[in-house]
Amino acid sequence: MKLNNVEKLNNIKIINIFIIIGSIISILYINYICYWKYFGLDNIIIVKPILIHYLPINYILILISFYNISSSYVKKLLRKGFSIIDFKKLLFGIIDTSCSIYCKDNKYCIRLYSNDMTLHKIFSDMIYLVYGKKPMTFITKNTYVTQLYGKNILMDIKNIKLDFDSKLKIEFVRTIMSGEGWITYSFVNSSLGFKIYPKLGFGSTIPYEKLSFYKNIICETGINLNLKIDKRYEKRGYLVTNNINDFKKFKEIGGFIEGIHIKKGIFKGIEKNSLLNLTLKLAKNSMNFSSKEEALNLIKNSCIDNDLKVYLYRIMLG
DNA sequence: ACGCCCTTGGTCTAGTTGCC
DNA sequence: GGCAACTAGACCAAGGGCGT
């Protein structure tokens, strides 16, 4: 019997559920023989240290299984009824904006660079779902790299006809924004103190034609990004807005994919959605700070609190 | 004319690319 | 996978438009 890729993903989930149940049973059993069965008996001294030694393994297994089950974005889309063709279009967005293609001797290497594991997991899951290939992810000095050799995959994706219904367009924008989108602040020292100006943008030193293409698609979801040319390079630039209505609209369509973090800069490590939510919160009350440090501390602490809440909420939901 | 604040664009360097 | 060269992804401060 040949399983299709959706069935394989579901089987991985079932295996992980078994690991969790098995781990919980073994923890309960170990606790039972350590603390109840042998409680008060002489051999507790021999039995207890050996068995307790195995306890962390069970907890680690549970954590790994929860992590495996919760690679949720691709599965959420499957549940929403996204087809293989839809996933191919999303892959086009990821490959076209976030990946590099290295070609030599008629071999095509597709590489995704990012220090955010969530994006790698989504990319790998999508490739596996659509083409049945598991890309290899490895760590280099500063970042993770996911790569696969696949001329056929590349040709197939490059030739895909890019037409979207509104549901797919929104996920397309969320996907490319999660890879190449950025959110940050300008800190300006005014007479009233330090003021912060949020910026929501896409890409950097991207060729003009490609920028126009993505500007239009993003615009069709109600988010107006302005095209800025970086004069250091020939017809290259980025998209950016500081209009809070565009931030609101982006939040309305779902914002960045959950779990995507800022790659570098002063906000490195903060979840992009946390900063987006905080920006919308701060926009309601114009805030001045006595120093840049004060502004930075407030932003970072608020985002870390929010990340923690989201994390605890996810654990509660299992 | 003044000053606030949005916009522009130069600069920096960590992350990415191309080659091995 | 490792490494050197290069550039993508911000960062930051000056310019200039606009309201008073």
Side-chain angles (χ1 to χ4, degrees), chain A residues 14 62 91 160 163 168 242:
Chain A
I14 291 165
I62 287 178
L91 273 171
I160 195 106
D163 49 347
L168 179 61
N242 52 15

Side-chain angles (χ1 to χ4, degrees), chain A residues 26 62 201 207 261:
Chain A
S26 65
I62 287 178
H261 293 80

Side-chain angles (χ1 to χ4, degrees), chain A residues 173-185:
Chain A
V173 168
R174 289 186 69 209
T175 311
I176 59 169
M177 283 296 284
S178 299
E180 284 297 282
W182 40 268
I183 179 165
T184 189
Y185 286 95

Side-chain angles (χ1 to χ4, degrees), chain A residues 114-299:
Chain A
S114 174
N115 50 14
D116 191 307
M117 204 51 198
T118 311
L119 200 62
H120 290 275
K121 192 96 181 76
I122 289 166
F123 179 65
S124 290
D125 279 357
M126 283 192 190
I127 290 283
Y128 183 65
L129 181 68
V130 178
Y131 297 102
K133 263 192 170 184
K134 265 277 173 207
M136 182 174 62
T137 300
F138 53 92
I139 188 161
T140 62
K141 207 175 179 181
N142 297 313
T143 186
Y144 297 107
V145 182
T146 295
Q147 72 172 31
L148 80 154
Y149 287 89
K151 190 182 175 183
N152 296 341
I153 293 176
L154 199 62
M155 295 308 147
D156 190 41
I157 288 173
K158 286 273 176 190
N159 290 327
I160 195 106
K161 190 165 167 270
L162 282 176
D163 49 347
F164 304 99
D165 60 19
S166 61
K167 194 174 69 173
L168 179 61
K169 194 176 285 163
I170 284 172
E171 292 310 326
F172 186 83
V173 168
R174 289 186 69 209
T175 311
I176 59 169
M177 283 296 284
S178 299
E180 284 297 282
W182 40 268
I183 179 165
T184 189
Y185 286 95
S186 286
F187 296 88
V188 178
N189 192 4
S190 72
S191 60
L192 297 167
F194 273 84
K195 292 212 78 174
I196 51 173
Y197 296 98
K199 287 184 183 182
L200 179 68
F202 174 83
S204 165
T205 49
I206 290 178
Y208 180 83
E209 290 76 22
K210 197 185 263 196
L211 272 183
S212 317
F213 171 74
Y214 285 106
K215 175 180 158 58
N216 289 337
I217 289 184
I218 294 169
C219 184
E220 284 166 21
T221 61
I223 303 151
N224 284 308
L225 300 182
N226 306 306
L227 202 156
K228 302 285 173 193
I229 293 293
D230 185 333
K231 287 187 177 166
R232 282 174 300 168
Y233 306 96
E234 184 81 9
K235 283 189 173 179
R236 283 169 173 264
Y238 55 95
L239 305 173
V240 69
T241 181
N242 52 15
N243 184 338
I244 201 69
N245 290 326
D246 294 315
F247 286 73
K248 275 182 198 159
K249 189 68 203 173
F250 186 47
K251 167 76 183 169
E252 274 169 34
I253 67 163
F256 299 100
I257 295 170
E258 198 184 58
I260 299 283
H261 293 80
I262 294 169
K263 289 179 197 171
K264 60 182 185 183
I266 42 174
F267 300 121
K268 183 177 174 176
I270 291 174
E271 197 169 344
K272 285 183 179 176
N273 273 337
S274 290
L275 202 54
L276 178 65
N277 292 336
L278 183 72
T279 304
L280 293 171
K281 216 156 96 184
L282 292 180
K284 286 173 193 156
N285 35 0
S286 73
M287 295 185 75
N288 293 303
F289 301 91
S290 59
S291 67
K292 185 178 169 180
E293 282 66 38
E294 192 196 342
L296 268 176
N297 283 339
L298 179 115
I299 294 165

